[in-house]
């Protein structure tokens, strides 16, 4: 029959057949043909396309692996932020969440939940747009990025076989989908693929990836689609959203249950375990069942996600800060394993703190190979009574570093077990370590210790701080004068580490190009070009990234300075409160300790943190560094976030009748907290507060995607900010 069809028709028929088999194999896990038969079809298609190159289209199954992204990954804004979830760790917390949800909704309303597995991968947003033939075609695939702006990794996403390159007109119709839509979901690396990848890495002399999630994250950002294709990533869809227009990024269908069904009909892989339930008791039963099958899934999960099913209810529940009120993640408890402690290495952090890290005989715990665990400090070592050579119980929580919980009793201190000797001198620069009064940690107080500088630079450049891409470990090592070979030998020594002394990096071969974070801003192209594996392009791109970081907001710069006890939240609170570094320095240096001062008046800042801030800004070296950074062009604008201590900067629109508050009372509450109340809804409206019989303002808010609160939501916002 083939001969009677035109080449074009033969090609189309083959593609259809191959797509059907890909769907059966990669999405449904129910192949109808052997791999060899599938390969034969693919080879025939490739041969035909080679004869008729004019027939090649981007949605052909042969075109999954295409060109490399030439300029790296382009940053692209999301239609709506990709948020994270609040966590619950036990039944009580889950019930409390259920109560909050039901309290926030009219009591007569039925609330249903969708229970889904919380896949331990990374989230992706896929955008589809209509084509001339009535199908929808994959346009773009974005990583989560910072939640607001993702990275365009389309060329890599295309290689994932469970991501349809096209959804044909018939499927769109069956799923009742428009040509434009967005799918969000999770990319995972199945355990088998993870193990295979690590085998290959070890065979190539590379360090194995720590867990499937990191491996998946690294893979999706690889600049070589060929490699990505070999890794066998998988994609599970869990959100179906409007594509274009004012409500882009909003739920497309009235319920999550329907969204999952439509995604399945359209040919996406949807996790088969997702279940709709009528009560939190049923959700708890789902959790118990999931814990039972967790080990036989073949991919990692770290909990269960519970979502309010009805889109309309989700809208009314709204969001708090970074997470929706209408969903929660139930996190599974940490998992443990037993292995032998082979040695201890002592790591010097950017504040000089020396952390003992146990080198373990590799052990597979909950899908991850663990070969390191923190021992925290000297006190912890004493408490555990652990010695080198002991068998230990190791625990790994969702996102925490593995830790040693205890020695295994019946194997305690086997023959040859040696006590751990805490070093007296910095393993890197040999300065005498200091333990301050009432402190548990030993510190290297040498401010120019190369180990500290290395950590400082890595921290400064990292994504959540100054976000200087291209300034990774290898580049930092080179900037400090090391060759790549030295750096790799150093990393390998740390990997196979037994004794602390050997972890010490050798003195660098070359003169360091930077001696402080400020020196990054004086780097020249000529200097960069003297480094290994740095060409014109990467030098230019690194310099552009560094230049760009001069505009980083104040809170990030504060975080970058590495003030002890000042993490993301505190840095943001300080930036919000003081608005500029000068104001903060004035506040830190004017007040005397113990007094009720300007620092401790900031939310979340206690005496200990305040003292550390004061210390930092009274140190002339730090002040000189700040002065230099400013001179070099760092602007440090203060970016106000929504979560200030008041409702300042937020505009509210009231509509309908609230259960207990009159319109006037609500207005007063908002205004006394610094918010504004306006009469009409626009894109600039921060929240619409809606009550019974809300009218067109509610519709407008929905169509503009303005978050909607009910009275409980408003009160929650007020108490949160107040
Ligand atoms: S819903 C605002 N559903 O968990 C809604 N997330 O902690 C957030 N995740 O960033 C996402 N499986 O990467 C959702 N079935 C699932 C999920 C899931 C895994 C991840 C996702 C998200 C993180 C939130």
């Amino acid at each position: 029959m083939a001969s009677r069809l035109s080449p074009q028709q033969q090609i189309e028929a083959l593609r259809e057949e191959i797509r059907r088999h890909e769907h059966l194999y990669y999405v449904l896990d129910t192949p109808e043909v052997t791999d060899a038969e599938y390969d034969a079809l693919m080879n025939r298609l490739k041969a035909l396309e080679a004869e008729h190159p004019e027939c090649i289209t981007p949605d052909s199954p042969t075109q999954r692996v295409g060109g490399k992204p030439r300029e790296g990954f382009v940053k692209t804004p999301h239609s709506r932020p990709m948020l994270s979830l609040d966590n619950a760790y036990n039944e009580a917390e889950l019930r409390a969440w259920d109560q909050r949800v039901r309290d926030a909704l009219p009591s007569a309303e039925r609330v249903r939940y969708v229970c889904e597995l919380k896949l331990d991968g990374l989230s992706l947003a896929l955008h589809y747009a209509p084509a001339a033939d009535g199908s929808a075609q994959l346009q773009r695939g974005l990583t989560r990025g910072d939640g607001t702006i993702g990275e365009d990794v389309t060329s890599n996403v295309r290689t994932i076989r469970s991501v349809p390159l096209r959804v044909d007109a018939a499927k769109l119709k069956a799923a009742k989908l428009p040509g434009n839509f967005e799918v969000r979901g999770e990319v995972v690396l199945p355990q088998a693929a993870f193990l295979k990848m690590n085998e290959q890495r070890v065979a190539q002399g590379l360090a194995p990836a720590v867990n499937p999630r990191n491996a998946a994250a690294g893979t999706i950002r690889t600049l070589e689609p060929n490699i990505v294709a070999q890794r066998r990533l998988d994609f599970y869809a869990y959100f179906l959203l409007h594509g274009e227009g004012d409500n882009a990024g909003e739920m497309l269908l009235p319920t999550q249950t329907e969204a999952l069904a439509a995604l399945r009909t359209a040919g996406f892989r949807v996790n088969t375990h997702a279940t709709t339930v009528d009560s939190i008791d049923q959700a708890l039963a789902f959790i118990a069942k999931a814990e039972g099958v967790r080990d036989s899934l073949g991919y990692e999960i770290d909990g269960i996600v519970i979502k309010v099913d009805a889109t309309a209810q989700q809208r009314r529940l709204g969001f708090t800060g970074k997470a929706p009120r209408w969903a929660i993640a139930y996190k599974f408890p940490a998992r443990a394993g037993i292995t032998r402690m082979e040695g201890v290495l002592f790591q010097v952090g950017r504040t000089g703190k020396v952390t003992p890290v146990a080198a373990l005989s590799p052990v597979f715990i909950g899908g991850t190979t663990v070969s390191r665990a923190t021992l925290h400090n000297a006190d912890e070592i004493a408490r555990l009574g652990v010695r080198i050579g002991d068998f230990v119980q190791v625990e790994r929580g969702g996102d925490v570093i593995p830790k040693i919980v205890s020695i295994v009793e019946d194997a305690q201190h086997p023959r040859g077990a040696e006590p751990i000797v805490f070093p007296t001198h910095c393993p890197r620069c040999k300065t005498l370590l200091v333990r301050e009064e009432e402190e548990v940690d030993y510190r290297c107080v040498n401010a120019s210790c190369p180990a500290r500088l290395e950590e400082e630079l890595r921290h400064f450049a990292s994504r959540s701080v100054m976000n200087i891409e291209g300034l990774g470990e290898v580049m930092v090592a080179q900037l400090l004068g090391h060759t790549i070979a030295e750096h790799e030998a150093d990393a390998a020594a740390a990997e196979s580490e037994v004794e602390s002394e050997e972890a010490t990096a050798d003195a660098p071969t070359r003169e360091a190009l930077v001696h402080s974070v400020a020196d990054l801003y004086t780097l020249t192209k000529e200097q960069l070009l003297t480094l290994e594996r740095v060409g014109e392009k990467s030098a230019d791109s690194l310099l552009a990234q560094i230049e760009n970081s001069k505009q980083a907001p104040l809170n990030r710069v504060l975080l970058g300075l590495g003030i002890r006890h000042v993490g993301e939240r505190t840095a943001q609170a300080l930036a919000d409160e003081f608005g500029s570094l000068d104001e903060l320095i004035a506040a830190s240096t004017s007040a005397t300790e113990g007094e009720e001062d300007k620092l401790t008046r900031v939310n979340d800042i206690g005496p200990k943190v305040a003292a550390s801030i004061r210390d930092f800004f009274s140190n002339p070296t730090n002040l000189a560094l700040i002065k230099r950074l400013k001179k070099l062009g760092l602007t440090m604008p203060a970016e106000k976030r929504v979560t200030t201590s008041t409702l300042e900067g937020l505009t509210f629109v009231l509509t309908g009748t609230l259960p207990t508050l009159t319109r006037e009372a609500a207005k007063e509450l908002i205004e006394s907290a610094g918010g504004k109340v306006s009469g009409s809804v626009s894109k600039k409206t921060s929240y619409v507060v809606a009550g019974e019989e809300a009218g067109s303002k509610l519709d407008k808010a929905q169509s503009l995607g303005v978050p909607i609160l009910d009275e409980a939501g408003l009160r929650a916002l007020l108490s949160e900010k107040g």
Side-chain angles (χ1 to χ4, degrees):
M1 66 136 200
S3 55
R4 244 174 276 149
L5 297 172
S6 71
Q8 168 83 44
Q9 285 168 321
Q10 285 182 50
I11 286 175
E12 260 321 314
L14 259 173
R15 285 177 184 164
E16 263 324 296
E17 181 71 1
I18 291 172
R19 284 189 190 115
R20 194 172 72 83
H21 289 305
E22 286 188 338
H23 183 247
L24 284 167
Y25 186 99
Y26 294 107
V27 174
L28 303 178
D29 281 332
T30 52
E32 278 177 8
V33 293
T34 62
D35 288 2
E37 285 167 307
Y38 171 83
D39 290 344
L41 288 170
M42 199 64 154
N43 288 336
R44 258 180 62 203
L45 176 60
K46 280 186 191 155
L48 274 170
E49 285 185 347
E51 272 173 50
H52 305 278
E54 71 285 357
C55 294
I56 299 177
T57 55
D59 60 355
S60 169
T62 59
Q63 303 300 304
R64 284 197 176 267
V65 184
K68 303 182 203 182
R70 246 173 303 137
E71 304 292 337
F73 303 118
V74 179
K75 297 212 162 62
T76 311
H78 289 296
S79 55
R80 282 291 132 86
M82 290 183 87
L83 301 165
S84 57
L85 292 170
D86 284 333
N87 294 328
Y89 292 94
N90 52 46
E91 180 176 340
E93 287 176 11
L94 203 57
R95 288 192 184 277
W97 171 75
D98 166 59
Q99 193 62 49
R100 286 199 298 280
V101 166
R102 285 184 295 113
D103 285 350
L105 295 169
S107 54
E109 260 185 50
R110 185 168 84 145
V111 184
R112 304 185 88 197
Y113 295 125
V114 176
C115 305
E116 298 170 16
L117 302 184
K118 187 167 186 302
L119 303 156
D120 199 8
L122 55 138
S123 38
L124 273 192
L126 310 181
H127 293 261
Y128 287 80
D133 64 357
S135 69
Q137 308 235 349
L138 176 66
Q139 294 290 306
R140 239 172 319 127
L142 305 180
T143 63
R144 178 171 188 277
D146 66 3
T148 310
I149 296 174
E151 282 183 316
D152 189 326
V153 290
T154 312
S155 48
N156 288 342
V157 168
R158 291 175 60 88
T159 69
I160 304 174
R161 307 298 207 286
S162 43
V163 170
L165 297 180
R166 64 181 258 132
V167 179
D168 64 35
K171 278 191 175 153
L172 285 178
K173 195 166 168 223
K176 298 204 182 65
L177 288 187
N180 253 310
F181 58 91
E182 177 180 342
V183 174
R184 289 187 183 177
E186 201 84 351
V187 182
V188 299
L189 189 65
Q191 278 154 353
F194 170 69
L195 291 175
K196 191 171 144 218
M197 165 182 157
N198 267 354
E199 264 171 35
Q200 286 171 351
R201 286 185 67 90
V202 170
Q204 290 162 7
L206 297 168
V210 246
N211 60 36
R213 173 158 43 105
N214 284 3
T219 303
I220 206 72
R221 300 187 74 253
T222 305
L223 281 165
E224 198 59 70
N226 246 319
I227 295 180
V228 185
Q230 288 161 20
R231 293 270 171 85
R232 299 290 152 166
L233 292 169
D234 216 340
F235 177 78
Y236 288 93
Y238 53 66
F239 277 136
L240 175 56
L241 309 172
H242 280 285
E244 268 187 349
D246 277 348
N247 43 11
E250 296 266 295
M251 293 274 287
L252 184 62
L253 296 176
T255 62
Q256 173 69 358
T257 309
E258 290 162 277
L260 294 180
L263 284 167
R264 214 170 259 139
T265 307
F268 289 87
R269 178 160 204 167
V270 174
N271 197 279
T272 49
H273 294 275
T275 308
T276 309
V277 301
D278 288 310
S279 67
I280 202 69
D281 286 312
Q282 289 177 7
L284 282 157
F286 177 90
I287 290 173
K289 224 171 86 192
E291 279 183 307
V293 297
R294 186 179 179 190
D295 289 321
S296 48
L297 291 169
Y299 48 83
E300 284 279 303
I301 62 171
D302 59 346
I304 299 297
V305 182
I306 302 174
K307 301 174 181 169
V308 168
D309 191 30
T311 306
Q313 290 179 335
Q314 291 182 359
R315 283 210 198 98
R316 271 182 281 149
L317 286 158
F319 302 84
T320 62
K322 286 195 281 187
R325 284 203 188 79
W326 46 263
I328 194 149
Y330 175 88
K331 292 299 251 334
F332 287 142
R335 313 236 254 171
I338 289 172
T339 188
R340 206 175 101 102
M341 190 172 90
E342 305 288 352
V344 176
L345 45 133
F346 294 89
Q347 282 177 353
V348 185
R350 68 193 150 83
T351 58
K353 175 177 156 182
V354 177
T355 308
V357 176
L360 305 169
S361 177
V363 55
F364 202 64
I365 304 178
T368 291
T369 309
V370 175
S371 55
R372 288 276 178 281
T374 178
L375 284 162
H376 297 293
N377 51 50
D379 286 5
E380 176 74 357
I381 292 176
R383 190 185 69 77
L384 290 167
V386 63
R387 294 178 180 205
I388 295 168
D390 277 347
F391 281 86
V392 289
Q393 168 98 5
V394 183
E395 213 175 78
R396 188 176 77 85
D399 31 27
V400 287
I401 312 162
K403 61 175 198 176
I404 292 186
V405 199
S406 60
I407 316 184
V408 180
E409 286 296 333
D410 53 6
Q412 225 177 46
H413 307 327
R415 218 158 47 101
E418 291 169 51
I420 298 165
V421 183
F422 214 90
T424 50
H425 292 76
C426 172
R428 191 68 167 268
C429 71
K430 308 292 180 221
T431 305
L432 187 70
L433 297 180
V434 174
R435 184 178 192 167
E436 277 160 40
E437 230 178 296
E438 289 179 38
E439 288 264 343
V440 286
D441 298 316
Y442 283 93
R443 287 175 191 282
C444 170
V445 291
N446 172 11
S448 41
C449 169
R452 290 181 58 173
L453 183 56
E454 194 173 321
E455 292 299 321
E456 221 173 282
L457 287 168
R458 282 190 203 167
H459 168 75
F460 191 78
S462 67
R463 187 192 271 219
S464 56
V465 186
M466 302 299 274
N467 196 12
I468 305 175
E469 217 175 285
L471 194 52
E473 253 178 61
V474 178
M475 181 56 82
V476 167
Q478 291 208 76
L479 293 178
L480 292 176
H482 291 286
T483 62
I484 293 185
E486 275 168 6
H487 170 72
E488 280 171 357
D490 191 29
E495 275 309 312
S496 64
E497 178 51 22
V498 179
E499 280 294 301
S500 66
E501 293 299 292
E502 268 127 286
T504 316
D506 288 327
T509 302
R510 302 193 293 180
E511 188 74 14
L513 295 178
V514 301
H515 300 93
S516 87
V517 294
D519 290 346
L520 291 173
Y521 296 95
T522 62
L523 283 171
T524 63
K525 188 168 172 181
E526 290 66 40
Q527 284 178 317
L528 291 179
L529 286 175
T530 64
L531 303 176
E532 296 167 75
R533 294 190 208 156
V534 177
E536 292 272 331
K537 223 180 222 167
S538 50
D540 284 339
S541 122
L542 180 57
L543 288 174
Q545 287 278 337
I546 292 174
E547 186 61 30
N548 205 14
S549 75
K550 290 183 181 172
Q551 312 308 325
L554 178 60
N555 57 308
R556 286 183 178 239
V557 178
L558 278 174
L559 191 60
L561 290 174
I563 309 168
R564 265 180 83 192
H565 308 305
V566 175
E568 243 169 274
R569 271 176 70 137
T570 311
Q572 183 72 57
L574 288 170
D576 288 346
E577 176 73 21
F578 297 102
S580 77
L581 208 47
D582 290 335
E583 288 293 319
L584 171 59
I585 294 173
S588 313
T589 44
S590 66
T592 42
E593 199 163 338
E595 265 177 50
E596 167 65 15
D597 60 58
K598 286 182 182 158
L599 285 177
T600 42
R601 251 181 274 149
V602 181
N603 249 353
D604 290 343
I605 296 188
K608 186 168 147 192
V609 181
S612 156
I613 297 169
R614 249 184 254 116
D615 264 8
F616 185 89
F617 290 115
S618 55
N619 180 332
T621 317
N622 294 333
L623 294 177
L625 171 70
I626 290 166
K627 206 166 149 196
R628 199 162 156 235
L629 285 172
K630 275 197 202 157
K631 220 170 137 193
L632 288 165
L634 270 74
T635 56
M636 314 183 205
E639 266 181 10
K640 278 252 173 216
R641 266 195 334 171
V642 194
T643 47
T644 51
S645 55
T646 61
L647 299 185
E648 216 169 295
L650 299 181
T651 308
F652 292 76
V653 173
L654 301 165
T655 173
T657 316
L658 300 175
T660 71
L661 288 171
T662 62
R663 185 74 63 99
E664 272 317 299
K667 186 163 181 247
E668 218 176 285
L669 271 178
I670 293 168
E671 288 176 349
S672 64
K676 272 202 218 123
V677 176
S678 147
S680 59
V681 181
S682 75
K683 278 209 153 163
K684 297 219 173 88
T685 309
S686 317
Y687 293 97
V688 166
V689 183
E692 290 285 297
E693 283 167 38
S696 60
K697 287 179 191 169
L698 180 59
D699 299 335
K700 178 124 190 241
Q702 283 173 351
S703 70
L704 289 178
V706 173
I708 297 155
L709 300 170
D710 60 3
E711 186 180 319
L714 174 64
R715 286 186 188 278
L717 195 67
L718 281 161
S719 62
E720 205 175 280
K721 318 266 167 173

